[in-house]
C-alpha cells in the first residue's frame, strides 16, 4: 500500500516539475505595429489607400444608382409632347428628371429643327460628358488595386533586406527567432497590400459593370429619341 502511495506521489511530483509552455499569441494590430518604423509607415499608407478606395466606391455607387433611376413613362411622356408640338413641355419634363437620360433627351429636344445628323452629334457629345461624370474618380480605384500590392511587396522586401543584413553583420550568429520575427513581420505588409488591392479591384470592376448599364440605358434612350424624330408626321 505504501509502495503505490509513493508511486502516485512521484508521478504527481513529475507532473508538477514539467515546465508549463505558455502559448504566445499576437494580435494582428500588434503584428502590424511590430514591423519597425518602415513597416509602420507602409501600413499607414495602405490604410489611407483602403479608406480612399472604400470612400470612392460607395460615393460612386450611390451616384451611379441615382443616375440609373428613370421613370418608366419618361419616354412616353416625351413622345406625346413632341408629337403634339409641345416642345417646352418636353423640356420641362426633362428638367424635372435629374438623370443622364433626361439631360441627353433635353439636348436632343433643344436641337429639334436642325438636321438629324446635327441632333445625333449633339446627343453623342452630351453623352460623353455624362459618361465622364459617371466615371469620375473610378480610375483611382484601378490605380489603388495595382499600387497597393506593390507597396506591400516593397515592405516585405525591405523587411527581408533588414533581416539578412542582421544575419550578415552578425557573422552568421544571429538568432533564428529574431530573423523569423523580422520575416513574418515584413510579410504582414504583403498581406495588407493584397487585401487593399483585392478590395479596390472588386470595387472597380463592380462600378464598371454598373456604369456600363447606365451607358446602355443612355444609348437606348438616344436611339428611341432619334427614331421618334424619324417617325412620319
Amino acid at each position: 500500500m505504501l509502495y503505490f502511495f509513493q508511486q502516485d506521489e512521484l508521478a504527481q511530483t513529475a507532473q508538477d516539475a514539467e515546465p508549463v509552455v505558455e502559448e504566445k499569441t499576437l494580435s494582428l494590430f500588434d503584428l502590424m505595429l511590430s514591423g519597425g518604423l518602415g513597416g509602420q509607415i507602409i501600413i499607414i499608407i495602405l490604410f489611407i489607400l483602403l479608406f480612399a478606395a472604400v470612400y470612392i466606391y460607395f460615393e460612386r455607387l450611390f451616384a451611379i444608382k441615382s443616375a440609373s433611376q428613370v421613370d418608366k413613362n419618361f419616354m412616353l411622356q416625351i413622345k406625346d409632347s413632341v408629337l403634339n408640338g409641345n416642345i417646352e413641355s418636353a423640356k420641362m419634363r426633362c428638367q424635372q428628371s435629374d438623370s443622364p437620360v433626361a439631360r441627353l433627351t433635353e439636348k436632343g429636344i433643344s436641337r429639334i429643327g436642325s438636321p438629324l445628323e446635327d441632333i445625333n452629334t449633339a446627343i453623342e457629345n452630351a453623352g460623353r460628358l455624362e459618361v465622364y461624370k459617371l466615371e469620375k474618380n473610378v480610375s483611382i480605384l484601378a490605380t489603388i488595386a495595382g499600387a497597393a500590392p506593390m507597396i506591400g511587396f516593397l515592405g516585405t522586401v525591405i523587411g527581408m533586406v533588414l533581416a539578412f543584413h542582421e544575419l550578415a553583420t552578425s557573422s552568421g550568429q544571429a538568432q533564428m527567432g529574431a530573423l523569423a520575427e523580422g520575416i513574418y513581420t515584413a510579410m504582414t505588409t504583403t498581406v495588407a497590400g493584397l487585401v487593399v488591392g483585392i478590395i479596390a479591384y472588386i470595387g472597380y470592376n463592380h462600378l464598371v459593370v454598373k456604369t456600363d448599364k447606365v451607358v446602355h440605358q443612355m444609348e437606348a434612350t438616344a436611339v428611341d429619341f432619334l427614331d421618334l424624330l424619324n417617325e412620319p408626321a
Side-chain angles (χ1 to χ4, degrees):
M1 186 68 178
L2 181 59
Y3 172 75
F4 288 110
F5 177 76
Q6 289 177 345
Q7 275 193 328
D8 293 340
E9 193 175 49
L10 289 174
Q12 182 66 33
T13 304
Q15 290 179 359
D16 293 340
E18 290 181 356
V20 179
V21 180
E22 295 182 359
E23 293 185 0
K24 185 179 179 181
T25 60
L26 190 63
S27 66
L28 181 61
F29 182 75
D30 294 334
L31 188 61
M32 291 179 177
L33 294 182
S34 62
L37 180 60
Q40 292 173 10
I41 292 175
I42 291 177
I43 291 296
I44 291 174
I45 293 174
L46 291 173
F47 267 114
I48 293 174
L49 292 178
L50 177 61
F51 175 80
V54 172
Y55 174 80
I56 292 172
Y57 170 74
F58 283 105
E59 189 272 332
R60 285 292 85 200
L61 181 64
F62 293 139
I64 294 172
K65 184 178 180 181
S66 176
S68 64
Q69 294 178 352
V70 180
D71 187 0
K72 295 181 180 179
N73 298 322
F74 174 75
M75 283 307 299
L76 293 177
Q77 296 172 356
I78 296 298
K79 182 177 180 179
D80 292 339
S81 298
V82 172
L83 292 179
N84 292 329
N86 197 348
I87 305 301
E88 291 300 323
S89 176
K91 287 183 178 179
M92 290 182 60
R93 180 67 185 88
C94 292
Q95 294 171 359
Q96 292 173 354
S97 178
D98 185 19
S99 66
V101 169
R103 287 190 285 270
L104 257 65
T105 306
E106 183 182 6
K107 180 64 68 174
I109 293 173
S110 65
R111 295 294 191 274
I112 290 180
S114 302
L116 193 61
E117 186 64 26
D118 293 344
I119 298 176
N120 186 31
T121 302
I123 292 177
E124 288 181 354
N125 293 334
R128 292 191 188 97
L129 293 176
E130 295 298 332
V131 172
Y132 174 78
K133 293 178 182 178
L134 290 174
E135 295 179 345
K136 179 182 177 182
N137 295 331
V138 174
S139 60
I140 298 178
L141 278 180
T143 302
I144 294 175
M150 289 191 291
I151 293 174
F153 290 143
L154 175 62
T156 298
V157 171
I158 292 174
M160 296 291 288
V161 169
L162 294 176
F164 283 106
H165 176 72
E166 181 180 350
L167 180 62
T169 54
S170 62
S171 301
Q173 299 300 320
Q175 294 183 356
M176 292 303 297
L179 291 177
E181 183 177 357
I183 292 173
Y184 73 66
T185 301
M187 294 297 288
T188 58
T189 59
T190 299
V191 174
L194 289 174
V195 169
V196 175
I198 290 171
I199 292 174
Y201 181 76
I202 294 174
Y204 170 77
N205 282 280
H206 184 242
L207 291 179
V208 168
V209 172
K210 302 289 286 186
T211 302
D212 288 343
K213 290 182 179 180
V214 179
V215 172
H216 175 72
Q217 191 179 46
M218 289 190 295
E219 291 175 347
T221 302
V223 170
D224 291 343
F225 181 76
L226 292 175
D227 288 343
L228 170 63
L229 298 182
N230 279 326
E231 288 184 1

